[in-house]
Amino acid sequence: MNKFYWMVIGLLLGLVNLRAEIKLPALVSDNMVPQQATKVRLWGNATPNSSLKVRSSWDNTEYTAQVNDQGRWEIWVQTPSASFEKQQLTLKNGQDKIVLHDLLIGEVWFGSGQSNMELPVSRVTDMFRDEIAAYENTNIRQLKVPNIFNFHAPQADLPDYVAWKPLTQENVMNFSALGYFFAKAMYEKNNIPVGLINSSWGGTPVEAWISEEGLKEFPKYINDKRQYEDDAYLKSIKQTEGLSFYRWNTSLYRGDAGLHEATPWYAANYNDKDWKTVDLFSTDWGTNGLNPINGSHWFRKEVEVPQDWNGKEATLRLGCIVDADSVYVNGTFVGTVSYQYPPRIYTIPAGVLKAGKNTVTIRLISNNGYPHFVKEK
């Protein structure tokens, strides 16, 4: 009796496992913006060799998709003209049901490229702080494709954490800055919802964005890809680069007198009277007349602080520096950035500043090329 009972339970569990849940790609999710007045493609996975029903709230039309023996399906759904009315899509497959909420029909724009497209709003707050702080618009939404890669095959989906984000103060700093201003302009011009798909990655070559089929006329790049299909080789490259960076910085640290003298060069009481005065925006101090001087460069500057700033928290803005930096105020470390592009925006903790003279010290690290402070930034 017991044996028969467990056999029945096992069969039932096996039947349950044959039924797959409805699965949708990250792009097809809550808060998305379907393109207006066209047919949009929906796709995903469900129970193999079954049918899946899709119903839209905007016209109450029901569509039927056939699920193949691999559990995959796709369907094209007609969308209406743009609207601010929040819509839903309901998907049913047997007993499974998914409802997508808070959809807005509008214009969808795809932004791709390098750092000029990827550059987030957080990097432009120095110039546009008031404008950014004063603006929210949940009718503008972005989906950011994460910086991941796979040399083996095209990927069917994005990671589960990827989601459509409305333009709120909570989310705005991660929007593409170019996409943000473009979407605002389009919204003001057309007064319809805007969806942004931000698929960009700073420094990537154009070949990285082209399919293997598209590169068949360029065998060098096909050969490069073949090499990187070896996961062990790829791992060894990463390890070598990481180890090289670690050794460079370790050697630099050990040989940096400014960090190891009895009174460090960033200390508030360090005597810098014998230091040379330089123009920060000149590159003369970063060269020996023939080649750039890579390694550590130290700068100190006295600044006057009024009485009513005494002991208060403050923000130090240094623009962009080539390449890396560590910054101290009155001997207190306030921040570091490891590469040249981000603007340096450091918080000076309450209690560090004092009325009168204060010292800002910068340890600039030049990895290659000419070290400098970026005048335009």
Side-chain angles (χ1 to χ4, degrees):
M1 186 71 174
N2 287 341
K3 184 176 181 181
F4 177 75
Y5 172 81
W6 287 112
M7 286 176 64
V8 171
I9 294 296
L11 287 170
L12 289 173
L13 288 174
L15 290 172
V16 169
N17 288 334
L18 289 175
R19 181 178 64 80
E21 294 180 352
I22 301 173
K23 294 187 181 299
L24 297 172
L27 187 67
V28 182
S29 56
D30 292 341
N31 301 308
M32 76 170 176
V33 181
Q35 176 66 32
Q36 68 156 334
T38 189
K39 289 186 176 181
V40 298
R41 176 177 174 259
L42 305 177
W43 73 99
N45 293 83
T47 304
N49 300 313
S50 65
S51 62
L52 179 136
K53 305 292 185 181
V54 179
R55 185 176 293 276
S56 61
S57 64
W58 49 83
D59 61 6
N60 203 35
T61 299
E62 184 174 84
Y63 302 83
T64 301
Q66 296 303 313
V67 187
N68 68 18
D69 56 5
Q70 300 298 311
R72 301 188 185 95
W73 60 270
E74 71 170 57
I75 197 169
W76 294 83
V77 174
Q78 180 66 48
T79 58
S81 298
S83 169
F84 293 111
E85 182 180 354
K86 293 182 178 179
Q87 304 289 353
Q88 292 183 352
L89 277 172
T90 302
L91 300 92
K92 291 183 179 180
N93 179 229
Q95 298 301 310
D96 289 323
K97 177 181 176 180
I98 288 180
V99 180
L100 301 182
H101 298 279
D102 198 13
L103 312 185
L104 289 176
I105 311 298
E107 287 289 323
V108 184
W109 297 88
F110 186 81
S112 193
Q114 295 186 326
S115 56
N116 56 353
M117 182 63 72
E118 184 182 30
L119 184 80
V121 167
S122 59
R123 296 273 189 91
V124 299
T125 52
D126 275 353
M127 187 174 294
F128 302 103
R129 177 174 300 277
D130 293 342
E131 179 179 350
I132 293 166
Y135 190 76
E136 282 197 344
N137 188 341
T138 57
N139 295 317
I140 296 175
R141 299 168 182 190
Q142 174 186 260
L143 183 139
K144 176 66 174 80
V145 178
N147 292 352
I148 54 178
F149 60 86
N150 188 308
F151 286 104
H152 297 288
Q155 300 303 286
D157 197 4
L158 301 170
D160 291 341
Y161 60 80
V162 175
W164 287 91
K165 300 287 186 180
L167 200 169
T168 63
Q169 286 299 303
E170 180 183 3
N171 299 324
V172 66
M173 292 301 173
N174 291 321
F175 269 60
S176 158
L178 192 154
Y180 168 85
F181 290 108
F182 173 81
K184 281 184 65 178
M186 293 303 295
Y187 186 86
E188 291 167 4
K189 177 183 178 182
N190 299 322
N191 194 35
I192 60 175
V194 178
L196 300 171
I197 299 175
N198 177 8
S199 180
S200 51
W201 194 338
T204 49
V206 68
E207 294 83 15
W209 296 90
I210 300 175
S211 67
E212 185 169 341
E213 175 67 19
L215 288 173
K216 65 182 180 181
E217 301 295 329
F218 306 92
K220 174 187 181 300
Y221 298 114
I222 297 293
N223 186 54
D224 286 344
K225 178 184 178 295
R226 294 282 182 268
Q227 295 181 67
Y228 299 138
E229 288 172 1
D230 184 337
D231 292 336
Y233 176 60
L234 201 59
K235 183 178 180 181
S236 72
I237 292 175
K238 292 181 178 180
Q239 289 176 334
T240 300
E241 289 179 346
L243 185 59
S244 177
F245 184 74
Y246 170 77
R247 286 177 170 171
W248 158 260
N249 283 285
T250 299
S251 299
L252 194 62
Y253 173 81
R254 289 173 177 170
D256 194 331
L259 297 171
H260 300 297
E261 287 191 357
T263 302
W265 294 358
Y266 57 80
N269 63 342
Y270 178 77
N271 186 351
D272 58 12
K273 66 180 180 62
D274 294 328
W275 284 30
K276 179 183 178 181
T277 299
V278 297
D279 175 2
L280 285 184
F281 299 119
S282 167
T283 56
D284 292 344
W285 51 263
T287 175
N288 60 12
L290 184 63
N291 297 306
I293 302 172
N294 301 130
S296 292
H297 298 261
W298 287 82
F299 303 85
R300 286 169 61 91
K301 182 176 178 64
E302 284 189 345
V303 294
E304 290 282 342
V305 167
Q307 182 65 43
D308 59 351
W309 285 23
N310 188 49
K312 292 183 178 179
E313 182 179 282
T315 301
L316 175 63
R317 302 174 185 277
L318 297 170
C320 297
I321 298 174
V322 181
D323 292 292
D325 64 277
S326 294
V327 179
Y328 306 81
V329 176
N330 294 335
T332 298
F333 174 75
V334 297
T336 182
V337 170
S338 62
Y339 64 113
Q340 62 180 282
Y341 296 111
R344 276 54 171 180
I345 306 174
Y346 299 135
T347 298
I348 303 173
V352 172
L353 291 179
K354 61 183 188 297
K357 290 183 179 180
N358 295 258
T359 303
V360 178
T361 305
I362 300 172
R363 179 184 183 237
L364 183 155
I365 298 174
S366 171
N367 296 318
N368 53 66
Y370 285 87
H372 63 282
F373 293 78
V374 183
K375 189 173 184 178
E376 298 78 15
K377 301 292 181 69

